[in-house]
Amino acid sequence: MTYRGRFAPSPTGPLHFGSLVSALASWLDARAHGGAWLVRIEDIDGPRTVPGAAEDILSTLDRFGMHADEPPAWQSHRIARYQEALDQLKDVGLIYPCGCTRKEIADSLLNAHARNTTLAYPGTCRSGLHGKLARAWRLRVPGGDAAVITFEDRWQREQTQNLATEVGDFVLKRADDQWAYQLAVVVDDADAGITHIVRGADLMDSTARQIYLQRCLGVPTPAYLHVPVVTNEQGEKLSKQNGATALDDVNPLEALSAAARHLGLELDGTAYQTLEHFYAAATAAWAERMSVRV
Ligand code: GLU
């Protein structure tokens, strides 16, 4: 197997410390395996995309010495592939149009909660739109044992999610006509031949959905590794939305050393004169920590 990994930032602002940690982990894992490292700009969420942010992220990665092995992929150029995947699922009856508004779903979940049952999408439109207008497309998830997805995360160990009780039929194309992250990421990773996904643990909750979708589309499931997320003083995930500051490009070694420490790598950042020296030491430390053998 030829290792292919990736870093897939959403261009909602400049790279910050939290996203640097994900970038570094995916980069080190690819290097430790002697594999390829790709970058994909996840710019399909029109309303959240900030003009210029993608270019900014790419140039920061460059200045930090993380050079992709292929030109970056852009989700906004891949809409036709998402439509093909949706059509493939439609042909086999795995998706259905949903007319529920957020409020209707929230109300029915409140009722469900009161009855102490599931908090997943209640499947209101599974059997038809009940005279409502189609808004989104949802993927049917199975019931019973087939709903239980279990996988081994390389960092967090065994993970299990019951798609029927914890998630419900999930959206692949949104009511505002935007492609859902879950569909885009699965189609893109499969088309790019990604074998290993390394990303922040905030995405752990999406992984079972993505594995199920891979099975529905008949594409391979990559290996997963979710690194601990960086939180602010209030314990919230560091994000562009809660004011994470852009990285200081002038002194990459300082930020990279801090990112390596967050990943549990014992390195003295000040001991390295160049990015190359730092990356060589960090790759060896990562390989040791994650028991990577090639
Ligand atoms: N675009 C996602 C983010 O920036 C990451 C997606 C992924 O790695 O699967 O949070």
Side-chain angles (χ1 to χ4, degrees):
M1 181 214 41
T2 322
Y3 181 111
R4 285 171 70 82
R6 55 34 162 212
F7 172 54
S10 304
T12 53
L15 205 69
H16 58 74
F17 184 67
S19 36
L20 178 69
V21 166
S22 298
L24 179 64
S26 63
W27 163 258
L28 293 179
D29 200 49
R31 290 196 36 150
H33 283 88
W37 184 75
L38 315 185
V39 174
R40 179 172 70 235
I41 302 295
E42 303 218 315
D43 60 342
I44 37 153
D45 192 341
R48 288 182 63 226
T49 296
V50 172
E55 291 74 11
D56 198 66
I57 290 171
L58 291 171
S59 73
T60 302
L61 289 173
D62 232 36
R63 272 198 294 278
F64 276 64
M66 286 184 256
H67 307 295
D69 292 304
E70 292 173 16
W74 297 72
Q75 286 193 325
S76 55
H77 299 174
R78 296 186 34 82
I79 301 301
R81 283 291 296 127
Y82 307 146
Q83 187 63 54
E84 274 172 25
L86 197 78
D87 291 342
Q88 180 185 339
L89 298 168
K90 199 185 293 177
D91 287 347
V92 290
L94 276 171
I95 57 170
Y96 62 86
C98 170
C100 297
T101 60
R102 271 174 202 274
K103 176 155 183 358
E104 283 167 342
I105 297 171
D107 287 351
S108 69
L109 291 181
L110 270 180
N111 291 335
H113 195 47
R115 293 198 310 270
N116 198 19
T117 54
T118 171
L119 286 179
Y121 173 67
T124 319
C125 295
R126 260 191 167 205
S127 54
L129 283 163
H130 310 289
K132 290 191 277 196
L133 219 57
R135 294 165 49 83
W137 284 90
R138 287 184 187 273
L139 181 68
R140 265 172 223 283
V141 301
D145 289 350
V148 180
I149 304 283
T150 300
F151 63 97
E152 181 73 16
D153 185 84
R154 290 172 53 216
W155 186 299
Q156 324 263 353
R157 300 301 154 207
E158 190 177 283
Q159 306 291 316
T160 298
Q161 191 176 49
N162 184 316
L163 288 178
T165 58
E166 295 175 55
V167 179
D169 299 341
F170 55 95
V171 170
L172 298 186
K173 191 169 191 201
R174 294 175 2 198
D176 61 1
D177 231 26
Q178 303 282 327
W179 293 97
Y181 156 70
Q182 310 293 357
L183 179 75
V185 86
V186 165
V187 172
D188 288 345
D189 285 333
D191 284 357
I194 299 300
T195 57
H196 290 70
I197 292 180
V198 177
R199 60 187 179 187
D202 53 314
L203 293 163
M204 181 75 92
D205 189 55
S206 288
T207 306
R209 265 171 274 191
Q210 292 170 13
I211 291 174
Y212 178 63
L213 191 46
Q214 287 152 4
R215 294 178 188 167
C216 293
L217 289 167
V219 299
T221 291
Y224 285 97
L225 188 163
H226 290 86
V227 296
V229 292
V230 181
T231 52
N232 64 15
E233 277 155 21
Q234 287 77 47
E236 305 157 342
K237 182 201 160 205
L238 207 60
S239 74
K240 293 138 198 168
Q241 287 73 35
N242 65 22
T245 48
L247 289 166
D248 170 12
D249 283 11
V250 183
N251 197 352
L253 274 173
E254 209 168 284
L256 285 167
S257 304
R261 271 198 301 282
H262 180 82
L263 292 169
L265 306 180
E266 300 301 332
L267 294 173
D268 176 7
T270 55
Y272 304 101
Q273 301 300 316
T274 65
L275 287 171
E276 285 67 29
H277 286 133
F278 167 80
Y279 282 130
T283 303
W286 176 270
E288 165 95 32
R289 189 181 188 321
M290 299 312 302
S291 312
V292 175
R293 274 173 221 96
V294 282

